[in-house]
Amino acid sequence: MEEIRDNLIARITEAERENWLGGVEGLRVSQAGAEDKLAQITRRAASALVALPMPTLRKGP
């Protein structure tokens, strides 16, 4: 997903340089979608983490 976002940023830069104004707007919409998806992935990954206590050794009987 990061590669897709980075590619969209490069394409936006090219479209602006070439004055493809209609293309710029469409690419920005796609970039916003990619950014939103990355944020969702980050939130899910953060909520999936579980803190576990350190194990302790028990003394035998």
Side-chain angles (χ1 to χ4, degrees):
M1 189 55 61
E2 290 174 345
E3 277 186 52
I4 292 170
R5 182 214 39 214
D6 294 345
N7 181 270
L8 286 165
I9 291 169
R11 291 174 59 196
I12 289 168
T13 300
E14 178 185 13
E16 288 173 336
R17 184 179 61 243
E18 298 295 331
N19 254 353
W20 300 332
L21 301 180
V24 171
E25 289 307 312
L27 290 168
R28 286 195 176 140
V29 169
S30 296
Q31 180 191 2
E35 295 283 358
D36 184 50
K37 190 54 130 178
L38 280 170
Q40 288 176 21
I41 292 168
T42 301
R43 282 192 303 272
R44 284 187 187 154
S47 68
L49 297 176
V50 176
L52 298 175
M54 290 296 294
T56 57
L57 296 176
R58 295 185 197 172
K59 293 186 179 181

